[in-house]
PDB file of all heavy atoms in Angstrom:
ATOM      1  N   GLY W   6      -9.553  -2.324   6.367  1.00 68.00           N
ATOM      2  CA  GLY W   6      -9.800  -3.167   5.199  1.00 68.00           C
ATOM      3  C   GLY W   6     -10.189  -4.563   5.621  1.00 68.00           C
ATOM      4  O   GLY W   6      -9.550  -5.185   6.464  1.00 68.00           O
ATOM      5  N   SER W   7     -11.249  -5.073   5.035  1.00 65.00           N
ATOM      6  CA  SER W   7     -11.711  -6.415   5.366  1.00 65.00           C
ATOM      7  C   SER W   7     -12.244  -7.067   4.100  1.00 65.00           C
ATOM      8  O   SER W   7     -12.984  -6.443   3.335  1.00 65.00           O
ATOM      9  CB  SER W   7     -12.802  -6.365   6.437  1.00 65.00           C
ATOM     10  OG  SER W   7     -13.318  -7.654   6.685  1.00 65.00           O
ATOM     11  N   SER W   8     -11.853  -8.309   3.854  1.00 61.00           N
ATOM     12  CA  SER W   8     -12.325  -9.010   2.673  1.00 61.00           C
ATOM     13  C   SER W   8     -12.444 -10.492   2.980  1.00 61.00           C
ATOM     14  O   SER W   8     -11.499 -11.095   3.471  1.00 61.00           O
ATOM     15  CB  SER W   8     -11.353  -8.807   1.502  1.00 61.00           C
ATOM     16  OG  SER W   8     -11.741  -9.606   0.401  1.00 61.00           O
ATOM     17  N   PRO W   9     -13.608 -11.097   2.726  1.00 58.00           N
ATOM     18  CA  PRO W   9     -13.754 -12.533   2.986  1.00 58.00           C
ATOM     19  C   PRO W   9     -13.114 -13.401   1.910  1.00 58.00           C
ATOM     20  O   PRO W   9     -12.955 -14.591   2.106  1.00 58.00           O
ATOM     21  CB  PRO W   9     -15.274 -12.733   3.008  1.00 58.00           C
ATOM     22  CG  PRO W   9     -15.784 -11.670   2.096  1.00 58.00           C
ATOM     23  CD  PRO W   9     -14.869 -10.491   2.283  1.00 58.00           C
ATOM     24  N   MET W  10     -12.738 -12.786   0.761  1.00 54.00           N
ATOM     25  CA  MET W  10     -12.255 -13.600  -0.357  1.00 54.00           C
ATOM     26  C   MET W  10     -10.893 -13.166  -0.866  1.00 54.00           C
ATOM     27  O   MET W  10     -10.124 -13.993  -1.357  1.00 54.00           O
ATOM     28  CB  MET W  10     -13.253 -13.547  -1.526  1.00 54.00           C
ATOM     29  CG  MET W  10     -14.636 -14.066  -1.193  1.00 54.00           C
ATOM     30  SD  MET W  10     -15.794 -13.771  -2.536  1.00 54.00           S
ATOM     31  CE  MET W  10     -15.028 -14.671  -3.883  1.00 54.00           C
ATOM     32  N   GLY W  11     -10.564 -11.876  -0.781  1.00 59.00           N
ATOM     33  CA  GLY W  11      -9.340 -11.410  -1.415  1.00 59.00           C
ATOM     34  C   GLY W  11      -8.454 -10.636  -0.474  1.00 59.00           C
ATOM     35  O   GLY W  11      -7.987 -11.160   0.525  1.00 59.00           O
ATOM     36  N   ILE W  12      -8.270  -9.329  -0.736  1.00 64.00           N
ATOM     37  CA  ILE W  12      -7.350  -8.480   0.008  1.00 64.00           C
ATOM     38  C   ILE W  12      -8.115  -7.342   0.647  1.00 64.00           C
ATOM     39  O   ILE W  12      -8.914  -6.682  -0.014  1.00 64.00           O
ATOM     40  CB  ILE W  12      -6.258  -7.931  -0.936  1.00 64.00           C
ATOM     41  CG1 ILE W  12      -5.482  -9.094  -1.560  1.00 64.00           C
ATOM     42  CG2 ILE W  12      -5.325  -6.990  -0.200  1.00 64.00           C
ATOM     43  CD1 ILE W  12      -4.508  -8.662  -2.622  1.00 64.00           C
ATOM     44  N   GLY W  13      -7.859  -7.098   1.939  1.00 64.00           N
ATOM     45  CA  GLY W  13      -8.549  -6.016   2.629  1.00 64.00           C
ATOM     46  C   GLY W  13      -8.054  -4.653   2.188  1.00 64.00           C
ATOM     47  O   GLY W  13      -8.831  -3.797   1.795  1.00 64.00           O
ATOM     48  N   VAL W  14      -6.756  -4.427   2.242  1.00 67.00           N
ATOM     49  CA  VAL W  14      -6.145  -3.178   1.800  1.00 67.00           C
ATOM     50  C   VAL W  14      -4.977  -3.530   0.901  1.00 67.00           C
ATOM     51  O   VAL W  14      -4.135  -4.339   1.273  1.00 67.00           O
ATOM     52  CB  VAL W  14      -5.655  -2.324   2.989  1.00 67.00           C
ATOM     53  CG1 VAL W  14      -4.928  -1.084   2.488  1.00 67.00           C
ATOM     54  CG2 VAL W  14      -6.829  -1.941   3.880  1.00 67.00           C
ATOM     55  N   TYR W  15      -4.912  -2.929  -0.283  1.00 67.00           N
ATOM     56  CA  TYR W  15      -3.863  -3.248  -1.252  1.00 67.00           C
ATOM     57  C   TYR W  15      -3.234  -1.960  -1.740  1.00 67.00           C
ATOM     58  O   TYR W  15      -3.933  -1.041  -2.154  1.00 67.00           O
ATOM     59  CB  TYR W  15      -4.475  -4.011  -2.431  1.00 67.00           C
ATOM     60  CG  TYR W  15      -3.491  -4.449  -3.491  1.00 67.00           C
ATOM     61  CD1 TYR W  15      -2.726  -5.588  -3.313  1.00 67.00           C
ATOM     62  CD2 TYR W  15      -3.335  -3.727  -4.666  1.00 67.00           C
ATOM     63  CE1 TYR W  15      -1.834  -6.002  -4.277  1.00 67.00           C
ATOM     64  CE2 TYR W  15      -2.439  -4.131  -5.637  1.00 67.00           C
ATOM     65  CZ  TYR W  15      -1.683  -5.269  -5.444  1.00 67.00           C
ATOM     66  OH  TYR W  15      -0.795  -5.667  -6.408  1.00 67.00           O
ATOM     67  N   GLY W  16      -1.902  -1.853  -1.636  1.00 68.00           N
ATOM     68  CA  GLY W  16      -1.219  -0.633  -2.039  1.00 68.00           C
ATOM     69  C   GLY W  16      -0.171  -0.902  -3.096  1.00 68.00           C
ATOM     70  O   GLY W  16       0.562  -1.875  -3.021  1.00 68.00           O
ATOM     71  N   VAL W  17      -0.099  -0.026  -4.109  1.00 64.00           N
ATOM     72  CA  VAL W  17       0.871  -0.168  -5.196  1.00 64.00           C
ATOM     73  C   VAL W  17       1.465   1.201  -5.486  1.00 64.00           C
ATOM     74  O   VAL W  17       0.752   2.196  -5.564  1.00 64.00           O
ATOM     75  CB  VAL W  17       0.203  -0.721  -6.481  1.00 64.00           C
ATOM     76  CG1 VAL W  17       1.219  -0.781  -7.613  1.00 64.00           C
ATOM     77  CG2 VAL W  17      -0.377  -2.096  -6.233  1.00 64.00           C
ATOM     78  N   THR W  18       2.789   1.284  -5.637  1.00 63.00           N
ATOM     79  CA  THR W  18       3.426   2.498  -6.129  1.00 63.00           C
ATOM     80  C   THR W  18       3.783   2.294  -7.590  1.00 63.00           C
ATOM     81  O   THR W  18       4.163   1.202  -8.000  1.00 63.00           O
ATOM     82  CB  THR W  18       4.698   2.836  -5.337  1.00 63.00           C
ATOM     83  OG1 THR W  18       5.581   1.713  -5.399  1.00 63.00           O
ATOM     84  CG2 THR W  18       4.378   3.145  -3.904  1.00 63.00           C
ATOM     85  N   ILE W  19       3.654   3.368  -8.397  1.00 58.00           N
ATOM     86  CA  ILE W  19       3.854   3.245  -9.842  1.00 58.00           C
ATOM     87  C   ILE W  19       5.306   3.470 -10.227  1.00 58.00           C
ATOM     88  O   ILE W  19       5.909   2.682 -10.929  1.00 58.00           O
ATOM     89  CB  ILE W  19       2.936   4.234 -10.591  1.00 58.00           C
ATOM     90  CG1 ILE W  19       1.470   3.907 -10.291  1.00 58.00           C
ATOM     91  CG2 ILE W  19       3.206   4.194 -12.092  1.00 58.00           C
ATOM     92  CD1 ILE W  19       0.497   4.875 -10.896  1.00 58.00           C
ATOM     93  N   ASN W  20       5.893   4.576  -9.746  1.00 56.00           N
ATOM     94  CA  ASN W  20       7.276   4.882 -10.130  1.00 56.00           C
ATOM     95  C   ASN W  20       8.268   3.920  -9.510  1.00 56.00           C
ATOM     96  O   ASN W  20       9.228   3.513 -10.146  1.00 56.00           O
ATOM     97  CB  ASN W  20       7.643   6.314  -9.712  1.00 56.00           C
ATOM     98  CG  ASN W  20       7.045   7.343 -10.643  1.00 56.00           C
ATOM     99  OD1 ASN W  20       6.768   7.038 -11.795  1.00 56.00           O
ATOM    100  ND2 ASN W  20       6.834   8.541 -10.147  1.00 56.00           N
ATOM    101  N   GLY W  21       8.069   3.566  -8.248  1.00 53.00           N
ATOM    102  CA  GLY W  21       8.987   2.684  -7.573  1.00 53.00           C
ATOM    103  C   GLY W  21      10.306   3.325  -7.213  1.00 53.00           C
ATOM    104  O   GLY W  21      11.303   2.637  -7.007  1.00 53.00           O
ATOM    105  N   THR W  22      10.362   4.664  -7.156  1.00 56.00           N
ATOM    106  CA  THR W  22      11.603   5.344  -6.819  1.00 56.00           C
ATOM    107  C   THR W  22      11.780   5.392  -5.312  1.00 56.00           C
ATOM    108  O   THR W  22      10.876   5.076  -4.548  1.00 56.00           O
ATOM    109  CB  THR W  22      11.601   6.777  -7.381  1.00 56.00           C
ATOM    110  OG1 THR W  22      10.474   7.477  -6.840  1.00 56.00           O
ATOM    111  CG2 THR W  22      11.518   6.752  -8.892  1.00 56.00           C
ATOM    112  N   SER W  23      12.984   5.805  -4.899  1.00 53.00           N
ATOM    113  CA  SER W  23      13.289   5.886  -3.475  1.00 53.00           C
ATOM    114  C   SER W  23      12.352   6.869  -2.792  1.00 53.00           C
ATOM    115  O   SER W  23      12.079   7.951  -3.309  1.00 53.00           O
ATOM    116  CB  SER W  23      14.741   6.313  -3.288  1.00 53.00           C
ATOM    117  OG  SER W  23      15.033   6.487  -1.916  1.00 53.00           O
ATOM    118  N   GLY W  24      11.858   6.504  -1.624  1.00 56.00           N
ATOM    119  CA  GLY W  24      10.981   7.381  -0.867  1.00 56.00           C
ATOM    120  C   GLY W  24       9.509   7.169  -1.148  1.00 56.00           C
ATOM    121  O   GLY W  24       8.677   7.809  -0.530  1.00 56.00           O
ATOM    122  N   GLU W  25       9.164   6.284  -2.106  1.00 60.00           N
ATOM    123  CA  GLU W  25       7.760   5.986  -2.368  1.00 60.00           C
ATOM    124  C   GLU W  25       7.354   4.757  -1.571  1.00 60.00           C
ATOM    125  O   GLU W  25       8.120   3.813  -1.413  1.00 60.00           O
ATOM    126  CB  GLU W  25       7.526   5.740  -3.863  1.00 60.00           C
ATOM    127  CG  GLU W  25       7.564   7.007  -4.697  1.00 60.00           C
ATOM    128  CD  GLU W  25       6.964   6.774  -6.076  1.00 60.00           C
ATOM    129  OE1 GLU W  25       6.650   5.621  -6.390  1.00 60.00           O
ATOM    130  OE2 GLU W  25       6.813   7.750  -6.808  1.00 60.00           O
ATOM    131  N   PHE W  26       6.137   4.776  -1.068  1.00 64.00           N
ATOM    132  CA  PHE W  26       5.646   3.684  -0.255  1.00 64.00           C
ATOM    133  C   PHE W  26       4.279   3.248  -0.785  1.00 64.00           C
ATOM    134  O   PHE W  26       3.431   4.086  -1.064  1.00 64.00           O
ATOM    135  CB  PHE W  26       5.514   4.094   1.218  1.00 64.00           C
ATOM    136  CG  PHE W  26       6.808   4.562   1.832  1.00 64.00           C
ATOM    137  CD1 PHE W  26       7.166   5.897   1.756  1.00 64.00           C
ATOM    138  CD2 PHE W  26       7.645   3.676   2.461  1.00 64.00           C
ATOM    139  CE1 PHE W  26       8.347   6.338   2.319  1.00 64.00           C
ATOM    140  CE2 PHE W  26       8.829   4.108   3.031  1.00 64.00           C
ATOM    141  CZ  PHE W  26       9.181   5.449   2.949  1.00 64.00           C
ATOM    142  N   ALA W  27       4.097   1.931  -0.923  1.00 63.00           N
ATOM    143  CA  ALA W  27       2.769   1.434  -1.257  1.00 63.00           C
ATOM    144  C   ALA W  27       1.814   1.702  -0.096  1.00 63.00           C
ATOM    145  O   ALA W  27       0.683   2.114  -0.281  1.00 63.00           O
ATOM    146  CB  ALA W  27       2.814  -0.058  -1.574  1.00 63.00           C
ATOM    147  N   VAL W  28       2.288   1.499   1.116  1.00 66.00           N
ATOM    148  CA  VAL W  28       1.522   1.822   2.319  1.00 66.00           C
ATOM    149  C   VAL W  28       2.481   2.480   3.302  1.00 66.00           C
ATOM    150  O   VAL W  28       3.517   1.908   3.627  1.00 66.00           O
ATOM    151  CB  VAL W  28       0.900   0.560   2.956  1.00 66.00           C
ATOM    152  CG1 VAL W  28       0.157   0.939   4.240  1.00 66.00           C
ATOM    153  CG2 VAL W  28      -0.046  -0.130   1.988  1.00 66.00           C
ATOM    154  N   LEU W  29       2.184   3.684   3.745  1.00 68.00           N
ATOM    155  CA  LEU W  29       3.006   4.400   4.709  1.00 68.00           C
ATOM    156  C   LEU W  29       2.245   4.506   6.022  1.00 68.00           C
ATOM    157  O   LEU W  29       1.111   4.979   6.051  1.00 68.00           O
ATOM    158  CB  LEU W  29       3.365   5.798   4.199  1.00 68.00           C
ATOM    159  CG  LEU W  29       4.119   6.711   5.184  1.00 68.00           C
ATOM    160  CD1 LEU W  29       5.449   6.088   5.559  1.00 68.00           C
ATOM    161  CD2 LEU W  29       4.320   8.091   4.584  1.00 68.00           C
ATOM    162  N   LEU W  30       2.847   4.041   7.100  1.00 65.00           N
ATOM    163  CA  LEU W  30       2.203   4.023   8.395  1.00 65.00           C
ATOM    164  C   LEU W  30       2.941   4.960   9.333  1.00 65.00           C
ATOM    165  O   LEU W  30       4.148   4.850   9.512  1.00 65.00           O
ATOM    166  CB  LEU W  30       2.211   2.607   8.979  1.00 65.00           C
ATOM    167  CG  LEU W  30       1.605   1.522   8.088  1.00 65.00           C
ATOM    168  CD1 LEU W  30       1.885   0.156   8.659  1.00 65.00           C
ATOM    169  CD2 LEU W  30       0.121   1.730   7.913  1.00 65.00           C
ATOM    170  N   ASP W  31       2.229   5.903   9.925  1.00 64.00           N
ATOM    171  CA  ASP W  31       2.821   6.853  10.860  1.00 64.00           C
ATOM    172  C   ASP W  31       1.788   7.143  11.933  1.00 64.00           C
ATOM    173  O   ASP W  31       0.769   7.764  11.663  1.00 64.00           O
ATOM    174  CB  ASP W  31       3.233   8.129  10.123  1.00 64.00           C
ATOM    175  CG  ASP W  31       4.016   9.084  11.016  1.00 64.00           C
ATOM    176  OD1 ASP W  31       4.204   8.745  12.200  1.00 64.00           O
ATOM    177  OD2 ASP W  31       4.425  10.146  10.529  1.00 64.00           O
ATOM    178  N   ASN W  32       2.041   6.650  13.126  1.00 61.00           N
ATOM    179  CA  ASN W  32       1.029   6.739  14.157  1.00 61.00           C
ATOM    180  C   ASN W  32       1.713   6.762  15.527  1.00 61.00           C
ATOM    181  O   ASN W  32       2.644   5.993  15.744  1.00 61.00           O
ATOM    182  CB  ASN W  32       0.084   5.526  14.075  1.00 61.00           C
ATOM    183  CG  ASN W  32      -1.102   5.663  15.024  1.00 61.00           C
ATOM    184  OD1 ASN W  32      -1.625   6.749  15.214  1.00 61.00           O
ATOM    185  ND2 ASN W  32      -1.510   4.567  15.616  1.00 61.00           N
TER     186      ASN W  32
END
């Protein structure tokens, strides 16, 4: 993600319950 003005990568979860991630990283 790359942005000269705003946000490169933006993540939102709707429910917000346990175990939900706006961005999950596994590498």
